[in-house]
Amino acid sequence: VQLQASGGGLVQAGGSLRLSCTVSGSIFSSVRMGWYCQAPGQQRELVATISSGSSTKYADSVKGRFTISRDDAKNAVYLQMNSLKPEDTAVYYCNGVYISGGEARPLWNYWGQGTQVTVSS
């Protein structure tokens, strides 16, 4: 599988960005997808997921500000980021998600290059 994230950039606090990620392969529509972020010196963390039936979940830090969506016809997943904060600064990646032992885990080992989001204060 190949993952291609895009849409990042430099934005002022309070601004918005829309990230996109396209996924190669024909199994996309049956896969739970997620957006992850990794800030410098930090572990990668899951910020939002969307199931094959479009049920969504969010990390507390982004609830009410970020919206995840998907377009199965385009093998694409999106992250609308509003009211951005400097602490949202990170490289953002998409990946599949599976649940094991009650925990959400990345489905694929390949992450792609991600897309950098920088929020200035």
Side-chain angles (χ1 to χ4, degrees):
V1 66
Q2 291 196 359
L3 307 168
Q4 183 66 50
S6 62
L10 173 63
V11 64
Q12 289 188 330
S16 297
L17 286 172
R18 186 177 189 244
L19 307 185
S20 301
C21 179
T22 55
V23 183
S24 65
S26 59
I27 64 170
F28 177 84
S29 62
S30 64
V31 173
R32 185 192 311 264
M33 291 297 300
W35 280 98
Y36 298 75
C37 71
Q38 186 169 22
Q42 303 290 324
Q43 288 190 337
R44 192 172 289 155
E45 60 182 35
L46 184 62
V47 297
T49 64
I50 184 165
S51 71
S52 58
S54 294
S55 295
T56 58
K57 290 187 178 181
Y58 298 92
D60 288 343
S61 60
V62 306
K63 277 181 184 175
R65 300 189 299 121
F66 291 8
T67 302
I68 188 171
S69 61
R70 65 189 298 156
D71 185 339
D72 290 345
K74 296 182 179 180
N75 276 21
V77 61
Y78 308 99
L79 188 67
Q80 179 66 45
M81 312 167 73
N82 298 330
S83 302
L84 282 160
K85 303 176 181 180
E87 51 263 42
D88 295 320
T89 295
V91 179
Y92 284 74
Y93 305 84
C94 73
N95 204 318
V97 176
Y98 74 99
I99 307 299
S100 176
E103 288 191 23
R105 301 177 186 276
L107 182 60
W108 299 302
N109 291 326
Y110 174 72
W111 286 91
Q113 292 186 333
T115 187
Q116 174 72 48
V117 171
T118 303
V119 185
S120 63
S121 57

